[in-house]
Amino acid sequence: MENEDGRRLRSVVSYVKRGGRMTVGQQRAWDDHWPRLGRTVSELAEGPLDFTAWFGREAPVMLEIGSGMGETTSQLAAAAPELNYVAAEVYDPGLGQLMLRAEKLGVENLRLLHGDAVVLLTEHVEPDSLHGVRLFFPDPWPKKKHHKRRIVSPSFAALVASRLAPGGTFHLATDWENYAEQMLEVCSAEPALKNRYDGWAPRPEWRPVTKFEQRADVEGRVSHDLIFERR
């Protein structure tokens, strides 16, 4: 984001840039696969990313924001070979682990982006181009004073909506009740989005149970899904 003088403004970062060393397997997967499967957002050329050229085919593009350690992402990509599946993540070992999982599943329709998804959407994704965006269990920033760091905000909802093709979906999930309510309120207020359901969406059978959901169940928290679509 820039001000009227063209100077870049700092924005609130919605994620923690975690460190951590890769395991031997993750590093091997990175060395073997990153040159073909991965790119760094901050190093992309100016303008929209050519997904058709990168994947070597034209297909609907699904963007998942925050793929974590890749267990769910690898399964979702494997289950939908008709999609060009793109995972954006800031955690290096997570991307390494995702490539390991994709290798074991024989996934061919997956590409990885390392860096800030907001920058990716703003600077490198064309408007009206995405088949869908998935945001599963983002950092909840549970303390009230940190709520401003949550990625789901009016400006983010508008950004996602602008990048979706008409009929494209924005699927969110969280196990934090007040964040789920915030997601519902924010996305319902975005004129370009409409809720496919009257409130919460039924939990899709095709979405694998994540470690976050398992932990939430143990701790007595209920997970909520929301599915909005571009008008």
Side-chain angles (χ1 to χ4, degrees):
M1 183 173 64
E2 296 180 347
N3 64 11
E4 294 179 355
D5 298 324
R7 290 177 299 176
R8 181 169 289 276
L9 300 176
R10 294 183 64 189
S11 58
V12 175
V13 177
S14 60
Y15 57 86
V16 175
K17 182 64 173 74
R18 294 178 292 165
R21 301 181 68 174
M22 292 191 194
T23 65
V24 172
Q26 291 166 356
Q27 187 63 57
R28 194 270 305 160
W30 190 285
D31 294 340
D32 289 350
H33 302 302
W34 184 258
R36 180 174 68 91
L37 300 182
R39 296 186 182 179
T40 300
V41 172
S42 62
E43 297 176 359
L44 293 174
E46 289 188 12
L49 181 56
D50 188 342
F51 291 110
T52 298
W54 192 13
F55 280 86
R57 66 170 189 172
E58 188 164 351
V61 177
M62 176 66 71
L63 171 64
E64 183 177 334
I65 298 173
S67 53
M69 297 304 288
E71 184 173 9
T72 295
T73 306
S74 57
Q75 294 179 60
L76 291 174
E82 73 280 5
L83 297 178
N84 284 348
Y85 208 101
V86 181
E89 174 59 51
V90 297
Y91 186 45
D92 300 23
L95 291 168
Q97 189 67 32
L98 173 53
M99 286 185 281
L100 263 182
R101 296 183 192 278
E103 179 183 61
K104 291 178 180 178
L105 292 174
V107 176
E108 295 292 336
N109 62 320
L110 178 67
R111 299 294 183 269
L112 288 67
L113 284 157
H114 179 241
D116 190 337
V118 173
V119 174
L120 170 67
L121 286 166
T122 303
E123 301 181 6
H124 302 294
V125 175
E126 289 187 300
D128 310 318
S129 65
L130 296 178
H131 176 73
V133 173
R134 289 171 175 167
L135 180 67
F136 297 153
F137 302 94
D139 193 326
W141 294 102
K143 293 182 179 180
K144 189 171 182 179
K145 66 180 181 180
H146 291 152
H147 284 186
K148 65 188 178 197
R149 294 184 177 274
R150 290 174 169 176
I151 190 171
V152 179
S153 65
S155 61
F156 180 73
L159 175 61
V160 170
S162 72
R163 269 44 181 176
L164 289 172
T169 57
F170 183 25
H171 185 172
L172 311 91
T174 182
D175 57 294
W176 289 85
E177 183 75 25
N178 64 2
Y179 199 4
E181 292 171 353
Q182 178 182 333
M183 290 174 172
L184 177 59
E185 179 181 356
V186 166
C187 292
S188 297
E190 169 49 50
L193 296 174
K194 65 177 179 179
N195 196 340
R196 280 193 170 178
Y197 299 89
D198 183 15
W200 314 120
R203 190 197 185 287
E205 293 183 0
W206 51 260
R207 180 167 66 73
V209 177
T210 69
K211 66 177 182 180
F212 297 104
E213 281 186 284
Q214 293 170 347
R215 184 187 307 159
D217 185 60
V218 170
E219 296 176 358
R221 295 195 306 276
V222 177
S223 295
H224 292 291
D225 283 75
L226 289 164
I227 302 177
F228 285 79
E229 67 178 54
R230 169 75 184 276
R231 295 183 186 275

